[in-house]
Amino acid sequence: ALLGQQETNLSDGSQQRVTQLLKTAEPGGLYGAAGDLSDALPYRDRPGGLRAIAQVHDRYILAEQPDGLCLIEQHIAHERVLYERLNDRWQLVPLTTPVVLEGLNEKQLEQFERLGLAPEEFGPNRWAIRQAPEPLRDRDDLPDALLELSLGGNLDTAQVAIACRTAIRNGTPLDLATLQTLLDDWQRTRNPRTCPHGRPICLTLSESSLARFFRRSWVVGKSHGI
Amino acid sequence: ALLGQQETNLSDGSQQRVTQLLKTAEPGGLYGAAGDLSDALPYRDRPGGLRAIAQVHDRYILAEQPDGLCLIEQHIAHERVLYERLNDRWQLVPLTTPVVLEGLNEKQLEQFERLGLAPEEFGPNRWAIRQAPEPLRDRDDLPDALLELSLGGNLDTAQVAIACRTAIRNGTPLDLATLQTLLDDWQRTRNPRTCPHGRPICLTLSESSLARFFRRSWVVGKSHGI
């Protein structure tokens, strides 16, 4: 279903070609033997082995490792880090200023109770929320975040939503030290393969595949022709 | 034949998978509609549009362009630049110290004549070469280079061999300014697609293909699930 949803986004022939290239790299094994390039992810054997060397388009971390290179999407790598932290330590903290929400329905109120947020009646059709999950405490978008949490799901769904909201956005310029810290944190997660929504975090190009693309082995033996 | 020769290098399943990924990106159209990612090379429309942002493994130039990123192998990009310069201006220059070669056979002597190098008898079974193609003039490996040129081929073959010998080697660390100069020179060549031996120089990953790999369009619409 997940891949099915993607398909809708295709348009022209050139996109189709590119798609073909990357299809074989997608995790999930849907494409048979050619399906799972990401099995070759290096950090399983060599935790900490990735070295950040550049940020691309304020969106990807380019990392070098002994056998090739990786492109990591910064937002979802950070999302994975934050999500696992929330899993390990879910903490509600008191707010200095309560958030007042209007027009909540029964299901939303139940969802708040389920998350332990205990809305308090605050005049007609209004409720005060006096505590919040720790990562949301100081955010300007706290009311929106709380409304999002009220819309359904369980505690895990809430943690995914909070991780997504608070992770570094794509489009944010980051210096090399920050990129390296993010890489290190991400490599230490229990499931670095995907973000909590199931998206792949890392595209690996191994040196052997690059050597093949650039036909290095071919040229050494054969190409001079003299 | 060229691709056939490559095939011999395959070994295990994981290499096979990677191969599958990159096969579709190889120029030449052998793989049908999925065959030619490099058609999307950006420099045709936007000469000078590539910005060097890092060197990977002392071997690749990572370049950003508005629609994605490119990985360029430094040695063969430089080879292309040098080869076209030799095409445009083939120049023999006098040597301050002649090179004395021993044991040349008839074919080698003919080949030297063909290239205009005019070997001169210099004692029994010895010949002096008193001029050389300009890029070889000050090289320590000049005797080897001359012997290589004597082994066959025409003027074009000689120019390819000289370009290959004098191009920056893979494994050479280069600073960003040098990488950018090389990129700029390469983008201005008449045929930036391949090196003179026919190897692809640039692997392009378009932003749309990366967005698809990382399922960006999917997550925006569908993934939160609350």
Side-chain angles (χ1 to χ4, degrees):
Chain A
L2 208 143
L3 285 167
Q5 281 163 4
Q6 286 189 282
E7 301 296 333
T8 57
N9 223 40
L10 288 175
S11 52
D12 57 50
S14 101
Q15 173 122 15
Q16 195 86 39
R17 284 199 301 276
V18 172
T19 297
Q20 196 65 29
L21 172 78
L22 290 170
K23 231 175 193 173
T24 56
E26 284 177 349
L30 275 181
Y31 300 97
D36 202 347
L37 179 65
S38 295
D39 270 344
L41 280 176
Y43 43 75
R44 286 303 190 191
D45 297 330
R46 288 183 290 274
L50 294 179
R51 189 169 69 90
I53 60 173
Q55 189 189 30
V56 182
H57 285 193
D58 294 342
R59 180 178 288 155
Y60 306 106
I61 308 168
L62 182 84
E64 212 182 54
Q65 41 114 342
D67 300 336
L69 59 95
C70 302
L71 213 56
I72 291 108
E73 203 198 278
Q74 65 189 39
H75 170 67
I76 57 179
H78 195 213
E79 195 175 283
R80 163 56 61 186
V81 170
L82 297 179
Y83 169 72
E84 294 198 3
R85 278 185 198 155
L86 285 167
N87 263 214
D88 293 342
R89 209 169 84 108
W90 172 253
Q91 194 190 3
L92 298 176
V93 292
L95 298 171
T96 46
T97 313
V99 173
V100 176
L101 299 174
E102 290 192 331
L104 299 175
N105 64 32
E106 206 55 41
K107 287 189 71 164
Q108 288 176 295
L109 291 169
E110 280 169 24
Q111 173 68 359
F112 277 135
E113 296 286 353
R114 196 175 299 129
L115 297 176
L117 287 173
E120 206 173 275
E121 285 191 48
F122 195 77
N125 209 23
R126 305 177 87 192
W127 289 264
I129 309 280
R130 299 187 184 277
Q131 53 182 350
E134 192 277 331
L136 298 177
R137 173 167 44 187
D138 297 319
R139 290 184 67 91
D140 292 339
D141 62 355
L142 176 56
D144 285 345
L146 290 173
L147 275 175
E148 183 182 44
L149 296 183
S150 78
L151 295 176
N154 55 17
L155 180 60
D156 189 71
T157 315
Q159 290 171 352
V160 171
I162 292 166
C164 184
R165 183 177 286 268
T166 56
I168 294 165
R169 297 277 135 194
N170 289 331
T172 309
L174 301 172
D175 61 27
L176 265 187
T178 307
L179 295 172
Q180 187 64 53
T181 301
L182 177 48
L183 269 188
D184 292 342
D185 289 347
W186 166 68
Q187 287 180 91
R188 277 193 295 266
T189 59
R190 290 182 290 277
N191 180 9
R193 187 173 296 277
T194 66
C195 84
H197 303 101
R199 296 168 60 205
I201 293 173
C202 175
L203 172 64
T204 304
L205 294 175
S206 72
E207 187 50 36
S208 63
S209 67
L210 292 173
R212 188 170 154 76
F213 176 82
F214 290 108
R215 299 182 190 168
R216 204 137 45 222
S217 60
W218 171 72
V219 78
V220 168
K222 313 265 189 182
S223 67
H224 264 224
I226 58 176
Chain B
L2 207 144
L3 285 167
Q5 282 163 2
Q6 285 191 281
E7 302 296 334
T8 58
N9 222 41
L10 287 173
S11 52
D12 57 49
S14 102
Q15 173 122 14
Q16 194 85 42
R17 286 199 300 276
V18 172
T19 296
Q20 196 64 29
L21 171 79
L22 290 170
K23 231 174 192 174
T24 56
E26 284 178 349
L30 274 181
Y31 300 96
D36 202 346
L37 180 66
S38 295
D39 270 344
L41 280 177
Y43 43 74
R44 286 303 189 188
D45 298 330
R46 287 185 290 275
L50 292 179
R51 189 169 68 89
I53 61 173
Q55 189 189 29
V56 182
H57 285 192
D58 295 342
R59 180 179 287 155
Y60 307 105
I61 308 168
L62 182 83
E64 213 182 53
Q65 42 115 341
D67 300 336
L69 59 95
C70 302
L71 211 58
I72 291 106
E73 204 197 279
Q74 68 191 36
H75 170 67
I76 56 179
H78 195 213
E79 193 175 284
R80 163 57 60 187
V81 170
L82 297 179
Y83 170 71
E84 294 197 3
R85 279 187 198 153
L86 284 167
N87 264 213
D88 293 342
R89 209 169 85 107
W90 173 253
Q91 196 189 1
L92 297 176
V93 293
L95 297 171
T96 45
T97 313
V99 173
V100 177
L101 298 174
E102 289 193 331
L104 299 175
N105 63 33
E106 206 54 41
K107 286 189 70 164
Q108 287 177 296
L109 291 169
E110 281 170 23
Q111 172 68 359
F112 277 134
E113 295 287 351
R114 195 175 300 129
L115 297 176
L117 287 172
E120 206 172 276
E121 284 191 50
F122 195 77
N125 209 23
R126 304 178 86 192
W127 289 264
I129 308 280
R130 301 189 181 276
Q131 52 182 351
E134 192 277 330
L136 298 178
R137 173 168 41 188
D138 296 319
R139 291 184 65 92
D140 291 338
D141 62 355
L142 176 57
D144 285 345
L146 290 173
L147 275 176
E148 184 183 42
L149 296 184
S150 78
L151 295 176
N154 56 17
L155 181 60
D156 189 71
T157 314
Q159 290 172 350
V160 171
I162 291 167
C164 184
R165 184 177 284 268
T166 55
I168 294 165
R169 297 278 134 193
N170 289 330
T172 310
L174 301 172
D175 62 26
L176 266 187
T178 306
L179 295 172
Q180 187 63 53
T181 301
L182 177 48
L183 269 188
D184 292 343
D185 289 347
W186 167 67
Q187 288 179 90
R188 277 192 296 267
T189 59
R190 291 183 289 277
N191 181 9
R193 187 174 298 277
T194 66
C195 84
H197 304 100
R199 297 170 57 204
I201 292 173
C202 175
L203 172 64
T204 304
L205 293 175
S206 73
E207 187 50 37
S208 64
S209 67
L210 291 173
R212 187 171 154 76
F213 175 82
F214 289 108
R215 299 182 189 167
R216 206 139 44 225
S217 59
W218 171 70
V219 77
V220 169
K222 312 265 189 181
S223 67
H224 263 223
I226 58 176

